[in-house]
Amino acid sequence: MVDTPAWAGRARVVMLGKPECHLCEEAWEVIERVTRESGVGRARKELDDVSEADREEYWDKIPVTFVDGRRHDFWRVDEQRLRTALGG
């Protein structure tokens, strides 16, 4: 298992994405809805703002979602799976 990036532990749900990515926008909409309803924090990090090692690890999996600092999903966010991960 890959070590959790330091930037992924700052909010309960973190999405790593990139500009002009339609999958990222779709994923972020789900994340915003679920976290707002669940009352948990969320953050968005851009691929250009992470280390070279993290870019190499995640560039082909964008968007990547982390829950509680651990990789949860990539490419798409399943709303029910995210709710389950957050305890709801």
Side-chain angles (χ1 to χ4, degrees):
M1 178 178 192
V2 176
D3 290 337
T4 301
W7 49 263
R10 296 194 178 115
R12 185 97 196 265
V13 179
V14 177
M15 186 192 84
L16 178 61
K18 63 183 180 180
E20 300 181 29
C21 166
H22 74 281
L23 290 178
C24 298
E25 295 310 315
E26 291 172 10
W28 189 244
E29 287 176 14
V30 173
I31 291 166
E32 282 187 311
R33 181 174 49 252
V34 171
T35 57
R36 184 173 42 253
E37 292 171 5
S38 301
V40 301
R42 66 184 173 272
R44 184 171 177 163
K45 191 74 173 170
E46 298 298 329
L47 193 61
D48 290 341
D49 298 330
V50 299
S51 70
E52 182 64 33
D54 286 339
R55 278 193 297 278
E56 287 180 25
E57 174 68 28
Y58 299 117
W59 73 270
D60 63 342
K61 298 171 183 76
I62 296 295
V64 183
T65 307
F66 296 82
V67 174
D68 295 328
R70 298 186 70 182
R71 192 175 77 195
H72 175 72
D73 266 329
F74 56 93
W75 296 330
R76 300 203 184 271
V77 176
D78 180 278
E79 186 167 340
Q80 188 55 50
R81 182 171 144 74
L82 181 57
R83 288 183 189 282
T84 299
L86 295 173

